[in-house]
Amino acid sequence: MEPTRATSSTSGSARPPVVVLYDDRPDGLTGLKLAALSLRSTSPGLDVRAIVPGAGETFRAWASANGVTLVEPPRTLHATGWDVKPTVLLHLLDTGADPVLWFDTDIVATRDIRALLAPHAPEVLIAAEEYFWGYHQGSPARTTTLGLDVGRVLPRSLNSGVLRVSSVHRPLLEAWARVLASPAYTAAQDAPIPRRPIAYLGDQEVLGGLLGSRTHADVPLVQLRRGVDIAQCFGPSGFTVAERWAARDRLPALVHAMGRKPWNRPEAGRGGPGRRLATWWEQVHLDLTPYVEAARPHLDGLDEPIDWVGPLTRSGRLLARIGSPALRELPLVLVDTSQRGMRRALGIRQVPAEAAPSAARGQPR
């Protein structure tokens, strides 16, 4: 995990960050609680803060009882979802927190995360690698689609589910916020995913494009390794066969429930045969995802129903007999790998690399 650009101060131990959790979805609070509980358990002493717009008294009481500091949303917050990341991070820096770690609310920690962060000085930006099937890995398209000159090409796309920044990253965060507020980005979010230019697929694509630009190419960057430091569980094959085999004895330090969340299961028995099959498939996946196993030690602290915890399907109960949480889902992984590989080879539902001519003009630098 060496920085992509070395600096004279990348050695030594960085001080622990302030961790910020954010969610503005009512059904996202289960994940936020699990993220916080896992951090309080595995990384004791970390300053964990949460921003929950419109938080009710029940959640406020839970946060107080579990050592989570509830922070009011910044007045500058005009976006929703993950597009708030640069605004939230800048707000925390403004209040004196430095460094700050953004931690997605669908991630749980299985051991102390400070071991992943401490070797890198504060000027090193820390993110994660995108899951294996992410679009256009190792391509400058994210940068060129923003209309920027290429300064470097990241060999693996960036995942911003975990993101450590410090005050030296203000120019990058401000540029990120400007692009996320731009008309081109806003318009792209209204289009189906396969029709979005790669740079406007989501917030992390914009950040990856900026980091690849000549303007920000000197920002030292470390990406947590997928399958080693973080399990990117996007469907069965997001956490690949090879990654699962390497993690058969111990899951990575971070487990990320990308896509549908286990506490938001699809309703079974609805629709035609194809829809029922897809629902069954997703139910089995949610029975067996390593995220549930990683979250299991913290379920009692949720103080809410946990009827979503499986296995709830007959197939899930059968495969759950496999001892290793990383290997229980292998039959699904093999099938999912085959169909994803075929879709990639045939160009089915893939995100275009290039933008329409009007989309790349006038982007903030």
Side-chain angles (χ1 to χ4, degrees):
M1 266 192 323
E2 291 302 312
T4 56
R5 292 293 178 101
T7 69
S8 61
S9 57
T10 56
S11 60
S13 179
R15 61 182 176 272
V18 171
V19 181
V20 60
L21 304 167
Y22 173 95
D23 217 303
D24 53 24
R25 305 162 299 174
D27 64 353
L29 294 186
T30 296
L32 189 152
K33 290 179 180 180
L34 288 170
L37 290 166
S38 73
L39 289 168
R40 300 293 293 171
S41 174
T42 64
S43 310
L46 275 184
D47 183 351
V48 179
R49 305 181 190 180
I51 298 178
V52 179
E57 289 305 316
T58 299
F59 178 78
R60 290 177 179 274
W62 180 92
S64 177
N66 287 277
V68 177
T69 302
L70 200 58
V71 178
E72 292 304 311
R75 294 180 179 178
T76 53
L77 192 65
H78 301 298
T80 58
W82 308 132
D83 293 344
V84 306
K85 288 180 185 180
T87 303
V88 166
L89 291 169
L90 285 166
H91 175 67
L92 267 291
L93 290 171
D94 287 343
T95 64
D98 191 8
V100 181
L101 179 73
W102 173 281
F103 199 87
D104 268 7
T105 57
D106 54 2
I107 299 176
V108 291
T110 67
R111 48 189 178 273
D112 199 327
I113 65 170
R114 286 169 289 201
L116 299 176
L117 310 176
H120 307 293
E123 61 264 32
V124 177
L125 187 142
I126 301 177
E129 294 177 349
E130 179 65 315
Y131 76 111
F132 175 80
W133 296 103
Y135 304 105
H136 304 296
Q137 305 254 12
S139 166
R142 289 166 178 79
T143 300
T144 57
T145 305
L146 290 175
L148 303 177
D149 295 328
V150 176
R152 61 177 165 184
V153 177
L154 304 182
R156 291 184 174 86
S157 300
L158 182 141
N159 182 281
S160 62
V162 178
L163 187 64
R164 192 198 70 176
V165 302
S166 62
S167 56
V168 299
H169 301 125
R170 279 185 173 276
L172 174 65
L173 295 173
E174 290 166 354
W176 188 18
R178 287 195 297 272
V179 178
L180 295 184
S182 70
Y185 180 83
T186 302
Q189 300 312 296
D190 292 332
I193 286 178
R195 294 179 56 191
R196 297 179 193 175
I198 184 62
Y200 304 116
L201 184 61
D203 69 280
Q204 65 189 24
E205 311 299 335
V206 174
L207 181 58
L210 290 170
L211 283 166
S213 71
R214 185 176 298 174
T215 303
H216 302 288
D218 288 330
V219 174
L221 169 68
V222 160
Q223 289 178 267
L224 304 180
R225 298 161 296 173
R226 64 176 186 235
V228 178
D229 303 311
I230 183 168
Q232 302 284 26
C233 301
F234 197 171
S237 66
F239 191 19
T240 68
V241 172
E243 292 167 359
R244 287 170 182 268
W245 182 252
R248 63 191 182 276
D249 294 325
R250 186 170 76 156
L251 289 172
L254 302 171
V255 182
H256 191 180
M258 302 174 73
R260 187 182 282 274
K261 314 310 175 193
W263 55 88
N264 190 19
R265 285 173 172 259
E267 190 171 350
R270 294 294 185 91
R275 183 59 198 159
R276 289 199 299 272
L277 177 61
T279 298
W280 168 84
W281 175 269
E282 197 152 32
Q283 289 277 10
V284 178
H285 162 59
L286 296 176
D287 276 346
L288 302 171
T289 174
Y291 174 89
V292 172
E293 192 65 29
R296 200 175 294 277
H298 314 294
L299 295 175
D300 288 345
L302 282 177
D303 194 25
E304 62 181 61
I306 54 171
D307 52 356
W308 50 268
V309 177
L312 303 181
T313 66
R314 183 178 302 176
S315 300
R317 288 191 290 272
L318 178 63
L319 291 170
R321 297 176 184 176
I322 298 173
S324 169
L327 301 183
R328 292 171 187 166
E329 209 173 356
L330 274 183
L332 278 71
V333 177
L334 295 172
V335 175
D336 197 38
T337 298
S338 298
Q339 67 90 15
R340 284 185 187 245
M342 185 176 300
R343 279 169 39 195
R344 177 177 283 183
L346 297 176
I348 299 172
R349 297 190 66 191
Q350 301 298 298
V351 173
E354 298 301 326
S358 61
R361 293 200 295 266
Q363 292 308 310
R365 293 170 184 264

